[in-house]
Amino acid sequence: MNFDRHRRMRRTAFMRDMVRETRVTKEDLIYPIFVVEADGVKKEVPSMKGVFQVSLNLLEKELEEVSRLGIKSVIFFGIPNEKDPEGTGAYHDHGVVQEACRISKRLHPEILVILDTCLCEYTDHGHCGLIDSETEDVDNDSTLPLLVRTAVSQAKAGADIIAPSNMMDGFVSEIRKGLDDNGFTHIPIMSYGIKYASKFYGPFRDAADSTPSFGDRRTYQMDPANRFEAQRELESDLEEGCDMMIVKPALSYLDIIRDVRNNSNVPVVAYNVSGEYSMTRNAIDTGLLDEEVIMEQMVSMKRAGADMIITYFAKDLCRMIDEGME
Ligand code: PBG
C-alpha cells in the first residue's frame, strides 16, 4: 500500500461546498443602526466610513434598504436630544430607541428588533450608570432599577430581544424579574455579559456620542488579559437567566467565543465591534486588502463557535452573499 504521507483530504473544487464546515448566512447577521432623535440628520460617522447616524424621521428609507438586502435583525442605538446625569432618555416611554422600534415594527414587522439596555448614550457624563459623587465611580445598586425601567419601556415599545450591555452586578436577574413582573415573560435576554474594557470601542463612542467625560469603564468591564474571568461571568449570567450570550469584541477574543461555546448551551453572539469594522474598512478602502477579508473574518467568528454576529458589515455581507460569495 502506498500511504500518502500528507493527510490532507483529497478533494476537487466540485466538492468544496459538500465538505465545508462553516457557512455565513443572512440569518446570522445583526445590523446596528444609530438613530438620532433630532429631525433631518443623515450623517456618516467620520471614524466609521459607510456607517450613518440617521434621524427617526428618515428611518423609513434606511429600514427599506435593510429589508430589501435581506437583513433579518437590527439593533438600535440612540442619540437623544438631551442628556442628563440620570440618563432619563434611556427609560422614557417615547425615548429615541423606543420610537425607532415602534417605527420599525409598524413598517417592517418582518425585521427582528433588539434593543441595547444601557445608560451611557443618555448620561451627560457618558458612563453606563449613576455616578457616586464621592468616589466618581458608577454606583451599581442605584443604577439597577433604572436599567429595569429601560428594559421594560423597550419591551413595551415592541422589542423582540432585550440586550443589556451595562455590566452592573446582578443586571440579568433584575431585568428578568422586571420583565416578568410586567408581563414580558416571553421576551428573551441577550446578555453582553462578556464585555472586555477594549480600545476597539473607540469609533462607537464617536458614533453614539458616549465617550466618558472622566475616568474609564475599567471598573465594570473586563480586563483583556483574563480568560477564566469570562467563565465566571458566563456562569453567573446563565444562573441569572440569560438566554443568549454576547462576547465583545470578537476578533481578538475568538478563544473566548470558543470557551463560551464549549461551556454553555445557549446561542453565542459575537459582537464584531466598531474598531474591528473601521480597521478592516480602511484596509479595503485604501486597497491594502481585498474585500473578501470581510467574509473570512465572519467565517472565523462562526468557526470559533458564534451562532450570530452583530456587525456593521451586514449590508456588505448581504450583497456578497447575493453575489454568491461564501
Ligand atoms: C454600550 C455599548 C458600547 C458598544 C455597544 N454597546 C460602548 C461601550 O461599551 O463603550 C460598543 C460597540 C462597538 O464598538 O461597536 N451601550
Side-chain angles (χ1 to χ4, degrees):
M1 272 286 231
N2 180 17
F3 285 109
D4 190 344
R5 284 204 290 135
H6 301 284
R7 292 290 165 162
R8 193 150 49 87
M9 186 171 72
R10 291 171 186 80
R11 64 180 159 185
T12 61
F14 188 56
M15 62 184 273
R16 175 177 159 276
D17 283 352
M18 190 175 123
V19 296
R20 191 147 223 249
E21 297 175 25
T22 310
R23 284 197 165 77
V24 176
T25 69
K26 292 184 181 183
E27 284 71 21
D28 302 330
L29 307 174
I30 300 167
Y31 185 55
I33 302 180
F34 296 100
V35 191
V36 184
E37 192 167 16
D39 279 351
V41 180
K42 180 162 184 197
K43 185 174 153 247
E44 191 168 46
V45 178
S47 53
M48 298 178 75
K49 274 191 71 193
V51 172
F52 290 81
Q53 298 178 330
V54 187
S55 286
L56 277 172
N57 72 336
L58 302 176
L59 198 54
E60 178 169 356
K61 214 165 148 241
E62 175 71 13
L63 290 168
E64 209 279 314
E65 188 190 2
V66 162
S67 168
R68 182 168 40 78
L69 285 166
I71 293 173
K72 314 285 181 211
S73 321
V74 297
I75 180 164
F76 288 119
F77 294 103
I79 299 141
N81 280 340
E82 283 175 29
K83 304 190 183 210
D84 55 36
E86 292 83 34
T88 47
Y91 37 93
H92 196 291
D93 272 335
H94 297 282
V96 52
V97 294
Q98 287 84 348
E99 289 307 296
C101 181
R102 287 191 181 94
I103 292 171
S104 183
K105 284 289 157 194
R106 178 161 47 81
L107 300 175
H108 289 281
E110 77 281 7
I111 299 176
L112 183 140
V113 176
I114 303 170
L115 294 182
D116 176 269
T117 306
C118 196
L119 303 189
C120 67
E121 292 136 53
Y122 305 91
T123 52
D124 52 11
H125 44 73
H127 279 283
C128 301
L130 297 179
I131 298 294
D132 179 326
S133 53
E134 302 226 318
T135 60
E136 289 213 331
D137 256 343
V138 170
D139 187 64
N140 195 87
D141 292 1
S142 60
T143 301
L144 286 175
L146 302 182
L147 295 171
V148 173
R149 275 174 72 179
T150 305
V152 170
S153 74
Q154 293 174 336
K156 273 193 206 153
D160 296 291
I161 297 176
I162 298 297
S165 66
N166 48 83
M167 291 294 275
M168 298 298 126
D169 284 339
F171 69 106
V172 175
S173 58
E174 289 295 313
I175 289 174
R176 182 70 271 156
K177 189 169 170 309
L179 290 172
D180 290 350
D181 290 349
N182 285 277
F184 297 110
T185 49
H186 58 292
I187 299 292
I189 294 177
M190 179 189 274
S191 169
Y192 284 85
I194 301 183
K195 178 168 176 182
Y196 284 91
S198 169
K199 291 293 172 200
F200 285 106
Y201 308 146
F204 176 94
R205 292 177 186 173
D206 244 16
D209 239 340
S210 66
T211 307
S213 56
F214 58 87
D216 58 38
R217 297 199 219 281
R218 275 183 239 172
T219 53
Y220 47 98
Q221 296 185 354
M222 291 166 51
D223 181 345
N226 293 355
R227 175 178 170 206
F228 296 117
E229 193 181 353
Q231 186 61 38
R232 294 196 290 276
E233 293 285 347
L234 170 68
E235 280 162 17
S236 77
D237 275 19
L238 290 174
E239 222 163 86
E240 290 182 34
C242 94
D243 301 282
M244 297 169 226
M245 196 68 188
I246 301 177
V247 177
K248 179 177 162 205
L251 289 172
S252 299
Y253 298 82
L254 294 177
D255 55 333
I256 308 297
I257 293 176
R258 172 47 60 192
D259 282 345
V260 175
R261 174 67 295 146
N262 288 353
N263 294 313
S264 74
N265 56 11
V266 294
V268 180
V269 187
Y271 197 139
N272 180 216
V273 300
S274 56
E276 300 174 325
Y277 169 84
S278 297
M279 278 198 309
T280 304
R281 174 103 280 162
N282 271 1
I284 295 167
D285 289 353
T286 53
L288 199 61
L289 295 175
D290 188 278
E291 188 185 52
E292 284 192 33
V293 294
I294 301 174
M295 191 57 93
E296 190 173 331
Q297 290 181 330
M298 301 301 141
V299 167
S300 315
M301 292 176 236
K302 289 210 69 183
R303 196 192 59 235
D307 298 289
M308 297 163 239
I309 305 169
I310 304 175
T311 179
Y312 305 95
F313 280 122
K315 285 181 178 174
D316 304 80
L317 285 158
C318 283
R319 183 177 39 76
M320 292 172 165
I321 290 169
D322 286 341
E323 288 165 3
M325 190 195 294
E326 283 186 307

